[in-house]
Amino acid sequence: MEFTYKRKHNESYMVADLNEEFDSYETRMIEENRINGLLSINKMSLNGTTQYNYNISRKINLEDFLESTDVDIDTLQKFILGLQLGLDEIGKYLIDERHICLDKNAVFVEKTMDSIKVNLCYYPTDNGSVQEQFRELMEHILTMIPSNNRELTELVCRAYDQCLKNDYTLTEILEMFQNIEADKHEIYVEKVELDEEDEDYYESSCGRMEEVCMDDYLTDYYQEDAKNNFFESLLGIAQRIGKKRREESVSINEDFCIDPTYEINERTVLLSEAKVAGKLIYDGRSGEDDFIINKDLFRIGSGSNNDMILRANTVSNSHAKIVREEDSYYIMDCNSLNGTTVNDTTLCYQQRLKLKAMDKIAFATERYIFM
């Protein structure tokens, strides 16, 4: 299936066109009920073609979520749990799970304070079983794991091996992640008793006996098991899925400055001929910084895990990103609340626009000039 995207004011939509009009029990249930864990749908029919408009405002698809998040065991555990809860809720309405699309671009995620809400996409064709689709998601997740996180890589490899079985369940995969977390937090409580001298000293110091908190004597006795066949297992999985692991880009910290103390004896270059250097120069009054785009994937937002952190409260946590390909730079909005504009044109979610020198970019209220 193919999806397009559109934006109306602060609302964002994913659009899917179907070649036939569906009028079934499932579509009526979705229209008449607000099903938790399912993207809300506005259905339109015209000349035998049905168009589904999914409201994806303030959500990002799984691919962007993994790209903009420091992926760890806790994050993946919360995602799988949210996926399971969404499928359980849909099952209460007797909706066929094969009509749920688990493509990485169709599963949408909302981050709350300490949890992850997964929003699923109803697409009334045969998308395959949950097991088949989740297996493909695990293949993609494998490519998104930081190369230096051995523990997470081992866990996801074991989970993927489980996904190769035809009769596996999401509950089994979730338990693998939960068991790891449980082992990490298992603690040993050492019982400590005070002798008479200690009691006398304690009473003289405090004037009364109080209950001694034993938390000070908690020790963590978790020890990671050695995995002798780790590299062989990882190599085998990589060969099966036919994908290369993503290598992390190395961040180079630089400060942008202009040195006016010397002259350059060269011809003046026409602005349209100038080669862009990948710089974002602040053009506002709120005291934001200038930035050099020093990574192939340059993330922009108010969250602390971004490469370009903006302090304005109008900027979303994951607001936008710039992709560098050789000497070209492409900007994309990450479905931000207040939007990203280039030369006063608002970008739709997933719209990819090539930047050129002197483009005026606005991340919500914060304006920059691209050079």
Side-chain angles (χ1 to χ4, degrees):
M1 74 291 296
E2 292 185 2
F3 298 107
T4 58
Y5 301 86
K6 63 182 180 182
R7 189 181 182 101
K8 293 183 178 179
H9 305 293
N10 289 335
E11 297 296 313
S12 186
Y13 297 90
M14 179 175 69
V15 181
D17 292 325
L18 287 83
N19 294 327
E20 55 183 302
E21 183 173 353
F22 291 87
D23 185 16
S24 64
Y25 160 83
E26 290 181 340
T27 56
R28 291 195 298 271
M29 288 295 292
I30 293 173
E31 290 173 354
E32 296 172 4
N33 298 275
R34 178 64 184 98
I35 302 178
N36 190 30
L38 194 67
L39 290 172
S40 61
I41 305 172
N42 178 22
K43 188 180 72 172
M44 301 176 61
S45 298
L46 180 64
N47 297 328
T49 299
T50 301
Q51 184 180 87
Y52 280 6
N53 291 268
Y54 304 90
N55 192 321
I56 58 171
S57 303
R58 291 164 287 283
K59 305 174 182 67
I60 57 175
N61 64 33
L62 178 61
E63 183 175 29
D64 283 345
F65 172 73
L66 294 174
E67 185 180 82
S68 62
T69 303
D70 296 327
V71 181
D72 55 22
I73 293 176
D74 182 63
T75 299
L76 291 183
Q77 176 188 327
K78 289 178 179 178
F79 166 72
I80 298 172
L81 176 59
L83 183 62
Q84 180 69 73
L85 292 174
L87 291 170
D88 289 345
E89 187 68 18
I90 290 168
K92 296 177 183 178
Y93 294 87
L94 304 180
I95 294 175
D96 189 345
E97 67 175 24
R98 302 182 76 91
H99 292 168
I100 301 300
C101 180
L102 296 185
D103 185 87
K104 63 182 182 294
N105 293 311
V107 176
F108 281 79
V109 176
E110 290 178 274
K111 292 185 68 174
T112 59
M113 292 296 293
D114 57 354
S115 64
I116 295 172
K117 181 179 180 182
V118 177
N119 299 267
L120 302 176
C121 173
Y122 173 77
Y123 191 83
T125 59
D126 189 348
N127 301 290
S129 68
V130 168
Q131 286 80 7
E132 293 168 344
Q133 296 188 78
F134 184 76
R135 185 184 301 122
E136 293 183 4
L137 284 185
M138 289 299 291
E139 292 177 1
H140 178 68
I141 290 173
L142 266 172
T143 68
M144 303 299 292
I145 300 174
S147 58
N148 60 350
N149 193 334
R150 173 169 176 165
E151 180 186 24
L152 178 58
T153 303
E154 292 174 349
L155 177 58
V156 175
C157 285
R158 293 199 304 271
Y160 180 75
D161 279 337
Q162 183 70 17
C163 292
L164 294 177
K165 301 177 181 179
N166 293 328
D167 58 348
Y168 82 93
T169 66
L170 282 185
T171 300
E172 294 172 344
I173 304 299
L174 181 60
E175 287 176 351
M176 296 177 68
F177 284 82
Q178 291 175 333
N179 289 338
I180 290 292
E181 288 297 297
D183 290 343
K184 280 186 172 183
H185 292 91
E186 191 172 356
I187 54 178
Y188 171 71
V189 180
E190 179 184 356
K191 184 177 180 181
V192 178
E193 295 182 354
L194 298 177
D195 57 26
E196 292 183 357
E197 293 182 359
D198 291 331
E199 290 179 0
D200 293 339
Y201 176 77
Y202 187 82
E203 288 179 348
S204 62
S205 301
C206 303
R208 61 187 177 86
M209 284 295 294
E210 295 180 351
E211 182 179 357
V212 178
C213 177
M214 303 306 298
D215 290 343
D216 294 337
Y217 303 99
L218 302 182
T219 57
D220 188 352
Y221 74 99
Y222 171 78
Q223 182 177 5
E224 181 181 4
D225 294 329
K227 310 297 187 300
N228 296 327
N229 298 321
F230 162 71
F231 291 105
E232 294 180 3
S233 174
L234 179 59
L235 178 60
I237 289 174
Q239 291 174 341
R240 284 195 296 270
I241 67 176
K243 293 185 178 180
K244 293 182 179 180
R245 188 177 307 281
R246 184 186 67 175
E247 296 182 355
E248 288 188 308
S249 300
V250 178
S251 176
I252 304 174
N253 295 321
E254 298 176 341
D255 293 324
F256 173 70
C257 60
I258 298 176
D259 186 356
T261 57
Y262 61 90
E263 295 182 359
I264 301 177
N265 295 320
E266 296 180 357
R267 74 175 182 87
T268 302
V269 178
L270 184 66
L271 187 59
S272 60
E273 298 176 355
K275 180 180 178 180
V276 295
K279 301 174 184 177
L280 292 170
I281 310 302
Y282 187 56
D283 190 32
R285 299 182 180 180
S286 300
E288 298 286 1
D289 299 322
D290 299 335
F291 292 90
I292 292 178
I293 304 171
N294 53 13
K295 300 174 68 175
D296 290 338
L297 173 62
F298 192 75
R299 301 183 297 187
I300 303 161
S302 60
S304 59
N305 63 335
N306 288 286
D307 304 299
M308 174 175 167
I309 301 174
L310 300 177
R311 296 178 289 271
N313 57 12
T314 55
V315 175
S316 297
N317 188 298
S318 297
H319 196 101
K321 62 182 177 181
I322 294 177
V323 178
R324 180 177 63 188
E325 296 180 357
E326 296 182 350
D327 294 331
S328 299
Y329 296 81
Y330 300 87
I331 188 170
M332 298 175 67
D333 181 70
C334 293
N335 212 18
S336 60
L337 175 61
N338 293 304
T340 301
T341 64
V342 178
N343 299 325
D344 296 324
T345 299
T346 302
L347 299 180
C348 296
Y349 184 46
Q350 296 292 307
Q351 181 181 354
R352 178 180 160 111
L353 182 66
K354 184 176 181 179
L355 293 172
K356 58 184 184 297
M358 300 306 293
D359 274 346
K360 297 179 180 179
I361 307 172
F363 306 104
T365 56
E366 303 310 299
R367 295 186 171 275
Y368 278 83
I369 296 176
F370 177 75
M371 298 182 64

